[in-house]
Amino acid sequence: MSAISPTRPDIVAFMVLAATALGVPSLPPPKDIFNFSGDDAALADEKLRLAIQGKKSATTSWPVPDPLYWGPGDLSVILDGQGRPGAVMRTVSFVQCLFRDVEEEFALAEAEGDYKSYHDGHVWFYNEVQEARKPAGERGVFGDESLVLCERFEVIYPVWRDKEKADDN
């Protein structure tokens, strides 16, 4: 389950705003609430922007949650670098595979440069950032043999033109 409650008031309000903008009576609560890039606020904001623009449509998770608490068709909220709701995404598909077997087309959909940049960036992030936060006895080692979850998604709110209008105000 997500570390952030879907009943947090700003998340609830954001989902109401999204439903109104999408012309539907309501949306189900998000199954996951997260930001891209952990504690790096600027990077989280940049990846959120790329997702809203449709340039980022994939993300890799490690370790793979067991059990998975969301799946294709479920909604998630992407937070900005300050922890505020920034977008609603719908999971399109999942593939579990060893990191070495991630397809180049998927890696490019993460909008992190070429395949080598994707690969090296994930090895660095998972080993040097994510695992470094854990106590020494609980750290894992991420590499080519690690099982990852490759998730494709689509941002359903805001659409890029709405975000541009909001940024102009």
Side-chain angles (χ1 to χ4, degrees):
M1 178 173 251
S2 179
I4 299 171
S5 172
T7 61
R8 198 173 87 177
D10 61 331
I11 301 297
V12 171
F14 191 74
M15 294 301 285
V16 168
L17 186 63
T20 301
L22 295 169
V24 296
S26 65
L27 291 170
K31 295 285 182 147
D32 196 18
I33 301 163
F34 68 98
N35 77 11
F36 296 116
S37 303
D39 295 336
D40 187 329
L43 191 55
D45 286 343
E46 173 64 13
K47 290 185 178 194
L48 171 62
R49 183 182 63 77
L50 291 170
I52 292 170
Q53 288 176 328
K55 295 177 181 176
K56 178 175 179 59
S57 60
T59 192
T60 304
S61 297
W62 178 82
V64 176
D66 184 22
L68 286 174
Y69 53 90
W70 79 105
D74 288 333
L75 302 180
S76 297
V77 170
I78 307 169
L79 303 174
D80 69 14
Q82 290 68 50
R84 297 175 301 224
V88 177
M89 65 176 241
R90 177 182 294 119
T91 298
V92 174
S93 66
F94 281 148
V95 173
Q96 289 188 41
C97 65
L98 295 179
F99 186 60
R100 70 164 184 251
D101 296 329
V102 172
E103 295 179 359
E104 183 174 6
E105 188 252 336
F106 178 87
L108 296 176
E110 282 226 25
E112 296 180 8
D114 61 16
Y115 185 85
K116 182 171 178 16
S117 297
Y118 162 84
H119 178 275
D120 295 351
H122 279 73
V123 170
W124 172 82
F125 176 78
Y126 288 130
N127 286 316
E128 302 300 324
V129 178
Q130 179 173 298
E131 292 304 294
R133 291 187 207 128
K134 296 179 181 177
E138 296 177 22
R139 292 181 187 163
V141 176
F142 181 80
D144 286 342
E145 299 303 313
S146 299
L147 183 66
V148 295
L149 181 66
C150 297
E151 178 180 3
R152 292 198 175 268
F153 63 86
E154 61 181 346
V155 171
I156 64 167
Y157 176 80
V159 295
W160 181 241
R161 64 182 176 280
D162 292 344
K163 181 67 176 157
E164 285 179 319
K165 288 177 190 171
D167 288 347
D168 288 341
N169 294 331

